PDB file of all heavy atoms in Angstrom:
ATOM      1  N   THR S 149     148.194 110.147 103.349  1.00  0.00           N
ATOM      2  CA  THR S 149     148.311 111.338 102.509  1.00  0.00           C
ATOM      3  C   THR S 149     149.529 112.149 102.933  1.00  0.00           C
ATOM      4  O   THR S 149     150.282 112.650 102.100  1.00  0.00           O
ATOM      5  CB  THR S 149     147.035 112.187 102.617  1.00  0.00           C
ATOM      6  OG1 THR S 149     145.928 111.401 102.218  1.00  0.00           O
ATOM      7  CG2 THR S 149     147.120 113.421 101.727  1.00  0.00           C
ATOM      8  N   ASN S 150     149.700 112.311 104.242  1.00  0.00           N
ATOM      9  CA  ASN S 150     150.849 113.063 104.757  1.00  0.00           C
ATOM     10  C   ASN S 150     152.173 112.399 104.393  1.00  0.00           C
ATOM     11  O   ASN S 150     153.210 113.033 104.348  1.00  0.00           O
ATOM     12  CB  ASN S 150     150.754 113.202 106.278  1.00  0.00           C
ATOM     13  CG  ASN S 150     149.650 114.172 106.676  1.00  0.00           C
ATOM     14  OD1 ASN S 150     149.214 114.985 105.861  1.00  0.00           O
ATOM     15  ND2 ASN S 150     149.194 114.085 107.912  1.00  0.00           N
ATOM     16  N   GLN S 151     152.139 111.098 104.142  1.00  0.00           N
ATOM     17  CA  GLN S 151     153.342 110.363 103.766  1.00  0.00           C
ATOM     18  C   GLN S 151     153.552 110.374 102.254  1.00  0.00           C
ATOM     19  O   GLN S 151     154.464 109.748 101.742  1.00  0.00           O
ATOM     20  CB  GLN S 151     153.259 108.909 104.262  1.00  0.00           C
ATOM     21  CG  GLN S 151     153.310 108.801 105.781  1.00  0.00           C
ATOM     22  CD  GLN S 151     153.088 107.382 106.239  1.00  0.00           C
ATOM     23  OE1 GLN S 151     152.600 106.540 105.498  1.00  0.00           O
ATOM     24  NE2 GLN S 151     153.441 107.122 107.485  1.00  0.00           N
ATOM     25  N   GLY S 152     152.659 111.065 101.552  1.00  0.00           N
ATOM     26  CA  GLY S 152     152.833 111.218 100.116  1.00  0.00           C
ATOM     27  C   GLY S 152     152.320 110.075  99.290  1.00  0.00           C
ATOM     28  O   GLY S 152     152.792 109.862  98.171  1.00  0.00           O
ATOM     29  N   VAL S 153     151.334 109.332  99.817  1.00  0.00           N
ATOM     30  CA  VAL S 153     150.762 108.230  99.034  1.00  0.00           C
ATOM     31  C   VAL S 153     149.288 108.527  98.784  1.00  0.00           C
ATOM     32  O   VAL S 153     148.405 107.862  99.273  1.00  0.00           O
ATOM     33  CB  VAL S 153     150.944 106.873  99.760  1.00  0.00           C
ATOM     34  CG1 VAL S 153     152.352 106.387  99.644  1.00  0.00           C
ATOM     35  CG2 VAL S 153     150.502 106.945 101.214  1.00  0.00           C
ATOM     36  N   ALA S 154     149.075 109.565  98.011  1.00  0.00           N
ATOM     37  CA  ALA S 154     147.708 110.009  97.744  1.00  0.00           C
ATOM     38  C   ALA S 154     146.903 108.939  97.031  1.00  0.00           C
ATOM     39  O   ALA S 154     145.699 108.809  97.219  1.00  0.00           O
ATOM     40  CB  ALA S 154     147.735 111.280  96.888  1.00  0.00           C
ATOM     41  N   GLU S 155     147.592 108.151  96.193  1.00  0.00           N
ATOM     42  CA  GLU S 155     146.889 107.109  95.447  1.00  0.00           C
ATOM     43  C   GLU S 155     146.309 106.069  96.387  1.00  0.00           C
ATOM     44  O   GLU S 155     145.181 105.617  96.219  1.00  0.00           O
ATOM     45  CB  GLU S 155     147.848 106.438  94.463  1.00  0.00           C
ATOM     46  CG  GLU S 155     147.159 105.437  93.553  1.00  0.00           C
ATOM     47  CD  GLU S 155     148.098 104.860  92.523  1.00  0.00           C
ATOM     48  OE1 GLU S 155     149.147 105.477  92.259  1.00  0.00           O
ATOM     49  OE2 GLU S 155     147.773 103.803  91.989  1.00  0.00           O
ATOM     50  N   GLU S 156     147.074 105.690  97.413  1.00  0.00           N
ATOM     51  CA  GLU S 156     146.583 104.724  98.387  1.00  0.00           C
ATOM     52  C   GLU S 156     145.440 105.310  99.192  1.00  0.00           C
ATOM     53  O   GLU S 156     144.517 104.619  99.585  1.00  0.00           O
ATOM     54  CB  GLU S 156     147.724 104.296  99.321  1.00  0.00           C
ATOM     55  CG  GLU S 156     148.763 103.424  98.635  1.00  0.00           C
ATOM     56  CD  GLU S 156     149.811 102.946  99.612  1.00  0.00           C
ATOM     57  OE1 GLU S 156     149.509 102.902 100.819  1.00  0.00           O
ATOM     58  OE2 GLU S 156     150.917 102.619  99.167  1.00  0.00           O
ATOM     59  N   SER S 157     145.506 106.629  99.444  1.00  0.00           N
ATOM     60  CA  SER S 157     144.431 107.290 100.181  1.00  0.00           C
ATOM     61  C   SER S 157     143.135 107.220  99.396  1.00  0.00           C
ATOM     62  O   SER S 157     142.056 107.014  99.952  1.00  0.00           O
ATOM     63  CB  SER S 157     144.789 108.757 100.447  1.00  0.00           C
ATOM     64  OG  SER S 157     145.932 108.854 101.238  1.00  0.00           O
ATOM     65  N   SER S 158     143.267 107.428  98.077  1.00  0.00           N
ATOM     66  CA  SER S 158     142.091 107.346  97.218  1.00  0.00           C
ATOM     67  C   SER S 158     141.489 105.953  97.270  1.00  0.00           C
ATOM     68  O   SER S 158     140.265 105.789  97.309  1.00  0.00           O
ATOM     69  CB  SER S 158     142.484 107.695  95.785  1.00  0.00           C
ATOM     70  OG  SER S 158     141.393 107.533  94.921  1.00  0.00           O
ATOM     71  N   THR S 159     142.363 104.937  97.296  1.00  0.00           N
ATOM     72  CA  THR S 159     141.894 103.558  97.390  1.00  0.00           C
ATOM     73  C   THR S 159     141.182 103.321  98.709  1.00  0.00           C
ATOM     74  O   THR S 159     140.146 102.665  98.766  1.00  0.00           O
ATOM     75  CB  THR S 159     143.081 102.577  97.263  1.00  0.00           C
ATOM     76  OG1 THR S 159     143.728 102.813  96.021  1.00  0.00           O
ATOM     77  CG2 THR S 159     142.596 101.135  97.327  1.00  0.00           C
ATOM     78  N   SER S 160     141.741 103.885  99.793  1.00  0.00           N
ATOM     79  CA  SER S 160     141.118 103.731 101.113  1.00  0.00           C
ATOM     80  C   SER S 160     139.736 104.365 101.132  1.00  0.00           C
ATOM     81  O   SER S 160     138.798 103.814 101.687  1.00  0.00           O
ATOM     82  CB  SER S 160     142.000 104.385 102.192  1.00  0.00           C
ATOM     83  OG  SER S 160     143.224 103.702 102.306  1.00  0.00           O
TER      84      SER S 160
END
Side-chain angles (χ1 to χ4, degrees):
T149 301
N150 288 341
Q151 292 174 343
V153 284
E155 186 176 340
E156 289 184 23
S157 298
S158 176
T159 302
S160 295

